[in-house]
């Protein structure tokens, strides 16, 4: 059974600081996705990582994938309040593009 | 584009009642999914449909049934609702085989009392 673990589960950080969210998974996969969810809203796709060593950047967020270590990271640079949300990683395995989600990291950026 | 549309957005059921959650996508995707989201547990897959005419169980299928009505529509039915099915339900669609992300609907917040 595939397990996807994120840490930390909750992160409170000050504006302007840097931090990294980690996503570990237990089985071979080279397809990993990061989503953002605002309270009471749906999931918004942030990054699609499809090979070992993939790195994607958008604004203050950068995601990477190491398939050998079964690890993905989401790095936040100089956080701003608008980044406050819950972030999920999701690993694709098997047929039909099924996703197994991590438990999410709730990020709170304080002024 | 509407993307993935779910109805209803909110629903309160009494234990033992039945209901159907509707989902439609306009992106011509071949695969569709139903997930549930519970606090502290991320999203878990209930059922999925890899292509029109096929459905399969996901991680937590007990108490649910699904119908892939056509390529656009995928419904989730609760035959006899239980309090343990109180959750937020998300429908999603994707193009299996093209290695692209799944797109999610706005969710249905279901409370079973």
């Amino acid at each position: 059974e595939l397990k996807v673990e994120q840490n930390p589960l909750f992160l409170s950080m000050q504006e302007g600081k840097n931090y990294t969210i980690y996503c570990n998974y237990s089985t071979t996969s080279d397809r990993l996705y990061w989503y953002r969810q605002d309270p009471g809203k749906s999931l918004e796709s942030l990054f699609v990582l499809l090979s070992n060593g993939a790195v994607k950047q958008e604004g203050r967020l950068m995601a990477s994938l190491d398939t050998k270590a079964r690890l993905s990271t989401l790095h936040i640079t100089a956080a701003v309040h608008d980044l406050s949300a819950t972030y999920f990683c999701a690993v694709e395995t098997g047929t039909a593009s099924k996703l197994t989600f991590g438990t999410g990291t709730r990020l709170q950026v304080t002024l | 584009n509407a993307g993935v549309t779910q109805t209803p957005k909110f629903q309160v059921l009494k234990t033992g009642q039945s209901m159907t959650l509707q989902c439609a996508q306009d992106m011509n995707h071949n695969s569709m999914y139903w997930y549930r989201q519970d606090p502290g547990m991320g999203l878990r897959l209930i059922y999925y449909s890899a292509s029109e005419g096929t459905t399969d169980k996901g991680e937590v299928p007990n108490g649910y049934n699904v119908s892939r009505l056509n390529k656009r529509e995928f419904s989730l039915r609760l035959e006899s609702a239980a309090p343990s099915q109180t959750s937020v339900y998300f429908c999603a669609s994707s193009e299996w085989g093209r290695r692209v992300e799944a797109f999610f609907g706005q969710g249905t917040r279901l409370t079973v009392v």
Side-chain angles (χ1 to χ4, degrees):
Chain A
E1 179 189 345
L2 171 61
K3 292 193 185 300
V4 181
E5 296 182 346
Q6 281 182 243
N7 67 83
L9 297 182
F10 177 73
L11 175 57
S12 180
M13 55 190 298
Q14 289 182 321
E15 276 200 335
K17 300 292 187 183
N18 304 332
Y19 208 84
T20 300
I21 298 170
Y22 297 89
C23 174
N24 292 274
Y25 54 97
S26 62
T27 194
T28 302
S29 175
D30 62 355
R31 288 161 284 176
L32 189 140
Y33 305 84
W34 283 95
Y35 286 88
R36 168 182 170 143
Q37 184 180 38
D38 293 301
K41 302 295 186 182
S42 185
L43 282 80
E44 173 191 356
S45 176
L46 292 175
F47 298 109
V48 179
L49 302 170
L50 297 177
S51 61
N52 186 41
V55 177
K56 296 280 185 72
Q57 182 163 5
E58 181 73 32
R60 300 174 187 275
L61 300 178
M62 182 173 70
S64 65
L65 178 62
D66 181 342
T67 59
K68 294 178 181 177
R70 300 177 183 172
L71 170 69
S72 180
T73 61
L74 180 65
H75 186 73
I76 304 153
T77 301
V80 293
H81 182 68
D82 285 352
L83 290 179
S84 298
T86 298
Y87 293 85
F88 292 95
C89 64
V91 177
E92 181 181 327
T93 57
T95 58
S97 302
K98 302 190 300 292
L99 298 177
T100 300
F101 281 82
T103 50
T105 296
R106 183 173 157 227
L107 173 64
Q108 179 178 291
V109 181
T110 57
L111 297 171
Chain B
N1 285 340
V4 180
T5 303
Q6 289 182 234
T7 55
K9 290 186 169 52
F10 301 93
Q11 184 72 49
V12 179
L13 288 180
K14 294 182 179 178
T15 298
Q17 286 185 319
S18 62
M19 79 162 294
T20 299
L21 281 64
Q22 306 287 353
C23 175
Q25 52 95 4
D26 63 3
M27 295 173 282
N28 203 34
H29 286 164
N30 53 11
S31 300
M32 298 185 72
Y33 316 83
W34 278 104
Y35 292 88
R36 61 178 287 174
Q37 182 176 29
D38 301 298
M41 299 188 72
L43 280 76
R44 293 180 292 167
L45 183 64
I46 305 171
Y47 270 92
Y48 66 99
S49 171
S51 60
E52 187 178 354
T54 70
T55 61
D56 282 289
K57 296 178 181 179
E59 183 185 351
V60 288
N62 291 346
Y64 305 95
N65 285 300
V66 290
S67 295
R68 183 75 181 266
L69 304 170
N70 49 54
K71 191 171 185 180
R72 290 186 63 247
E73 298 173 288
F74 188 39
S75 62
L76 178 72
R77 183 161 177 83
L78 288 70
E79 290 290 353
S80 179
S84 61
Q85 294 178 305
T86 294
S87 188
V88 181
Y89 293 85
F90 287 99
C91 177
S93 71
S94 180
E95 188 65 15
W96 175 32
R98 287 187 57 196
R99 297 160 69 88
V100 296
E101 69 268 45
F103 292 85
F104 286 79
Q106 290 301 303
T108 296
R109 187 173 296 273
L110 175 67
T111 302
V112 183
V113 296

